[in-house]
């Protein structure tokens, strides 16, 4: 009874804090500019099912895809077990789903196999990061926190799965010994391998171990849930909405700034009526996170820093500063900073910092070839390119800080209608020469 | 020798209208190397009796380099000027000689009032082949190895991967793929207005990285579909001193060569 009360309190607190943090992230995302991504719902559901649920873009790299799929399947399926644990915890029951009989045996056996596979996959991933030291996990923006974040996640998952298997092992022995409350239920193909190690323990000792593992497992899960909003691991939730709100247009198509259209139309035809004055000063392009759209901000919370974008970026491959992953990490870091600023001050109080310059340097932005390799590579349809372009727009149109050669190219287009120094009268000369 | 190419103006003043407008683009109009591609496209269209016209001196830069560099003002100025011209002539179908023009006209002009059916020349060549209007004599390329380099704004940008490959397959040559190809292809380094400035500090030029990769399969020809890729990969081949063993040609030039146009 006391256990049930304690459990209910911990569970409620865990859910409350998680909901509060998710609420803050939601508010941060909505600091972005409006953008309509509610069209074509059927296509959006399909994209989400294919890309997030079906992990279709992971398959480009088969080895991590395989191990990632195991952890993903483990996560989804073991949730059924967590449901049982929660009911047991609140109601004070034990293995409440055991009435399912042979189906229950099958489920428990399946969870055990998945738990073991998850441990194997986590060990493989830890090895790839820390022993093989794959390049994309050690590039410039992978400073100590992003590297630790990944290791904490993998290590926690191993601990959780180990607790789960040890819990089953002790439970299984208690069932065999006919201990009170421990009704015979479940099949234990993996934890049976641990039981021989526990056979020497007293029944009270086993009950202690079973309870310790049960509590450790569920408290670990609640703690892990609350770690998510602070971690790159938040992608396990964000991948779904983020792929739903994917850009469904051709990748080559960039947005046309409507504010610019108004001004250009006025320039070409001064007889048009000027647009009504607006209360907020207009800004072309993006200087800080509030200038980006909510989808670009959502992208930043979805990024799990896998680095596939950076590993295919032609600029990054050839040693330039630009890294699309860093663009996303910087956007999220700055957005989190703006969010805490709002939490502290009620509204955003100017802190003298901006995403541009304080986080992202113009040199990074200039190096992009707009080739879309990053957006193609992202397993959850994040679009770093649109952020790069919006920041270029700010630098070029608001600050007139384009590289000198680009300014030259601009004036050639203005003066002779081509990006090179040629006379417009010579444009059709190609038909003559041979 | 002057090619038989008529302007839209010419069609209109004779009371005719062209089936399709050939949007040439700046690089393909002015750059000496790219002009050869433009002539090859015009010759192929003539050989298939396609009724096509160009804007001639009325064409102005479509605005792609300005837009990708962040100068949305300049882009929209160019776009609105072109849309005025195109709409004035009642143009409905456009074929471009450049994936950048293709992408901009197809995707970014509609919102500004210019909606046309836009295709890249590889798509038109594929159509002409499928309709039986373009017959390719493959003999010249028998046994030759050709690698196709996907231009970003044709491939990833607009999901056109098969049209250029289908055309190359008609040449009786062996079509090879670079290690990174189709959706995973590596950029030549020109896009996003990079070709108009020196690259940022790094340890290698992108075009060299890409050329090295393509040369791994020891091709006789590198086939491309973009005047900027032509420049970048030709430079790459030159840097690597492979000019004698490999040629960089547009798919239109391959057909021109195959059919002795």
């Amino acid at each position: 009874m006391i256990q049930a009360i304690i459990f209910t309190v911990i569970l409620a607190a865990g859910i409350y804090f998680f909901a509060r943090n998710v609420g803050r992230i939601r508010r941060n995302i909505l600091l972005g500019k409006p953008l309509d991504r509610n069209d074509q719902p059927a296509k959006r559901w399909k994209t989400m099912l294919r890309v997030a649920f079906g992990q279709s873009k992971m398959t480009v790299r088969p080895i991590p895809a395989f191990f990632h799929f195991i952890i993903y399947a483990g996560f989804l399926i073991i949730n059924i077990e967590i449901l049982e644990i929660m009911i047991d915890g609140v109601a004070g029951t034990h293995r409440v789903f055991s009435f399912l009989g042979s189906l229950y045996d099958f489920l428990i056996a399946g969870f055990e196999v998945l738990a073991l596979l998850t441990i194997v996959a986590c060990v493989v991933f830890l090895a790839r990061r820390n022993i093989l030291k794959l390049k994309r996990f050690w590039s410039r923006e992978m400073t100590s926190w992003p590297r630790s974040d990944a290791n904490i996640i993998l290590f926690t998952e191993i601990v959780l799965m180990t607790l789960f298997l040890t819990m089953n092992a002790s439970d299984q022995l208690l069932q065999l010994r006919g201990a009170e409350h421990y009704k015979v239920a479940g099949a234990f193909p993996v934890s049976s391998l641990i039981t021989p190690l526990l056979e020497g323990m007293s029944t009270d000792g086993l009950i202690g171990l079973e309870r310790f593992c049960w509590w450790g497992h569920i408290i670990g899960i609640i703690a892990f849930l609350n770690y998510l909003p602070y971690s790159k691991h938040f992608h396990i939730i964000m991948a779904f909405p983020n792929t739903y709100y994917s850009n469904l247009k051709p990748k080559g198509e960039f947005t046309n700034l409507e504010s610019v259209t108004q001004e250009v139309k006025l320039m070409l035809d001064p007889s048009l009526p000027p647009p009504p004055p607006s209360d907020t000063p207009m800004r072309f392009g993006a200087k800080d996170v509030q200038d980006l759209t909510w989808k670009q901000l959502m992208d930043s919370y979805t990024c799990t820093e896998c680095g596939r974008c950076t590993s295919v970026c032609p600029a990054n491959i050839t040693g330039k500063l630009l890294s699309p992953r860093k663009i996303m990490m910087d956007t999220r870091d700055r957005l989190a900073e703006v969010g805490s600023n709002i939490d502290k001050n009620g509204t955003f109080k100017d802190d003298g910092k901006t995403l541009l310059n304080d986080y992202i340097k113009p040199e990074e932005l200039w190096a992009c070839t707009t080739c879309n390799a990053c957006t193609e590579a992202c397993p959850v349809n994040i679009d770093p390119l649109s952020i790069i372009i919006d920041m270029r727009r700010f630098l070029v149109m608001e600050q007139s800080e384009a590289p000198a050669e680009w300014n030259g190219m601009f004036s050639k287009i203005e003066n002779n209608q081509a990006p090179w120094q040629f006379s417009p009268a010579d444009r059709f000369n190609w038909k003559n020469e041979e | 020798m002057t090619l038989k190419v008529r302007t839209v103006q010419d069609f209109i003043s004779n009371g005719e209208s062209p089936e399709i407008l050939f949007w040439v683009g700046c690089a393909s109009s002015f750059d000496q190397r790219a002009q050869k591609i433009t002539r090859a496209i015009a010759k192929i269209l003539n050989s298939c009796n396609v009724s096509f016209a160009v804007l001639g001196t009325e064409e102005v830069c479509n605005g792609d380099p300005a837009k990708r560099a962040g100068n949305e003002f300049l882009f929209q100025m160019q776009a609105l000027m072109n849309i005025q011209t195109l709409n004035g002539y009642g143009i409905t179908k456009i074929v471009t000689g450049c994936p950048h023009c293709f992408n901009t006209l197809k995707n970014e002009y509609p919102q500004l009032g210019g909606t046309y059916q836009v295709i890249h020349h590889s798509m038109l060549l594929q159509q002409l082949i499928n309709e039986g209007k373009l017959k390719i004599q493959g003999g010249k390329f028998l046994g030759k190895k050709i690698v196709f380099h996907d231009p970003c704004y044709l491939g990833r940008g607009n999901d056109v991967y098969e049209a250029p490959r289908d055309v190359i397959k008609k040449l009786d040559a062996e079509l090879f793929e670079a290690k990174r190809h189709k959706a995973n292809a590596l950029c030549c380094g020109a896009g996003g207005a990079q070709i108009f400035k020196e690259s940022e500090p790094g340890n290698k030029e992108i075009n060299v990285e890409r050329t090295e990769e393509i040369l791994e399969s020891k091709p006789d020809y590198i086939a491309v579909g973009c005047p900027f890729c032509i420049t970048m990969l030709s430079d790459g081949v030159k840097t690597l001193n492979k000019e004698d063993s490999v040629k960089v040609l547009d798919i239109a030039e391959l057909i021109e060569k195959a059919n002795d146009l």
Side-chain angles (χ1 to χ4, degrees), chain B residues 29-233:
Chain B
S29 298
F30 294 116
D31 180 79
Q32 281 196 340
R33 173 67 189 84
Q35 283 178 341
K36 292 186 186 171
I37 308 170
T38 315
R39 283 196 288 270
I41 296 173
K43 282 183 201 168
I44 296 168
L45 297 184
N46 279 337
S47 78
C48 303
N49 294 317
V50 175
S51 147
F52 75 99
V54 297
L55 283 175
T57 53
E58 284 184 279
E59 187 182 295
V60 302
C61 173
N62 73 81
D64 165 84
K67 188 177 184 84
R68 314 290 139 183
N71 195 336
E72 182 72 8
F73 268 106
L74 186 52
F75 161 71
Q76 292 201 12
M77 291 284 285
Q78 299 303 118
L80 289 173
M81 279 195 275
N82 280 321
I83 290 168
Q84 212 164 34
T85 311
L86 292 167
N87 288 355
Y89 285 132
I91 300 293
T92 55
K93 280 175 78 178
I94 300 177
V95 58
T96 72
C98 166
H100 294 264
C101 302
F102 163 64
N103 176 68
T104 309
L105 268 66
K106 170 176 162 281
N107 296 323
E108 291 162 358
Y109 277 25
Q111 204 197 319
L112 300 170
T115 305
Y116 321 102
Q117 192 193 328
V118 189
I119 55 174
H120 178 255
H121 68 276
S122 63
M123 300 157 84
L124 181 60
L125 296 178
Q126 185 196 32
Q127 275 174 27
L128 291 171
I129 291 170
N130 290 346
E131 289 165 5
K133 290 182 187 161
L134 176 58
K135 294 205 168 45
I136 297 177
Q137 286 122 40
K140 282 226 173 82
F141 291 92
L142 203 65
K144 299 284 184 198
K145 289 170 91 172
I146 302 181
V147 171
F148 180 68
H149 162 82
D150 290 276
C152 302
Y153 278 87
L154 188 65
R156 269 191 300 272
N158 289 289
D159 291 316
V160 180
Y161 298 110
E162 295 312 324
R165 286 176 170 80
D166 283 355
V167 173
I168 294 170
K169 280 176 194 158
K170 298 283 174 195
L171 293 169
D172 289 342
E174 290 178 75
L175 175 62
F176 278 75
E177 296 292 357
K179 200 169 141 221
R180 287 171 278 197
H181 62 275
K182 294 191 178 169
N184 302 318
L186 184 71
C187 172
C188 73
Q194 296 301 328
I195 200 167
F196 300 102
K197 67 168 179 56
E198 289 298 316
S199 43
E200 277 57 43
N203 52 34
K204 200 175 192 179
E205 290 298 335
I206 296 170
N207 65 331
V208 174
E209 165 84 12
R210 180 55 169 167
T211 311
E212 280 175 354
E213 178 182 38
I214 293 176
L215 291 182
E216 274 170 26
S217 53
K218 303 210 180 324
D220 299 299
Y221 295 94
I222 301 174
V224 299
C226 169
F228 297 106
C229 297
I230 283 264
T231 305
M232 299 307 272
L233 297 181

Side-chain angles (χ1 to χ4, degrees), chain A residues 161-301:
Chain A
M161 293 303 114
T162 308
L163 287 168
F164 173 69
L165 290 172
T166 315
M167 175 183 85
N168 278 356
S170 42
D171 195 293
Q172 191 190 348
L173 275 178
L174 288 164
Q175 289 180 19
L176 287 172
R177 291 184 191 178
E180 207 188 337
H181 297 307
Y182 291 91
K183 53 188 157 191
V184 177
F188 308 96
V190 177
S191 61
S192 316
L193 304 172
I194 314 174
T195 44
L197 301 172
L198 308 177
E199 263 164 3
M201 288 178 75
S202 69
T203 299
D204 283 347
L206 276 178
I207 292 177
L209 180 64
E210 192 275 335
R211 284 291 90 193
F212 173 79
C213 291
W214 188 93
W215 280 97
H217 178 63
I218 192 63
I219 289 179
I221 284 171
I222 294 169
F224 197 51
L225 181 73
N226 276 282
Y227 179 67
L228 291 183
Y230 300 96
S231 160
K232 78 188 194 78
H233 208 49
F234 203 42
H235 83 287
I236 63 173
I237 294 169
M238 296 306 290
F240 296 91
N242 204 63
T243 47
Y244 180 85
Y245 292 119
S246 292
N247 175 23
L248 298 179
K249 292 178 176 158
K251 285 184 156 58
E253 177 178 342
F254 289 11
T255 54
N256 288 333
L257 288 184
E258 280 173 44
S259 47
V260 170
T261 312
Q262 287 176 3
E263 299 222 352
V264 171
K265 282 192 171 153
L266 259 176
M267 264 151 70
L268 292 177
D269 183 2
S271 67
L272 288 171
S278 133
D279 336 326
T280 44
M282 200 166 36
R283 180 180 278 172
F284 298 121
K287 182 187 189 186
D288 209 345
V289 286
Q290 295 95 327
D291 303 322
L292 298 170
T293 68
W294 62 265
K295 179 57 172 57
Q296 289 169 320
L297 301 182
M298 180 184 267
D299 277 351
S300 77
Y301 276 112

Side-chain angles (χ1 to χ4, degrees), chain B residues 226-244:
Chain B
C226 169
F228 297 106
C229 297
I230 283 264
T231 305
M232 299 307 272
L233 297 181
S234 302
D235 280 356
V237 168
K238 210 181 288 175
T239 309
L240 298 168
N241 288 317
K242 294 286 180 196
E243 286 164 289
D244 296 334

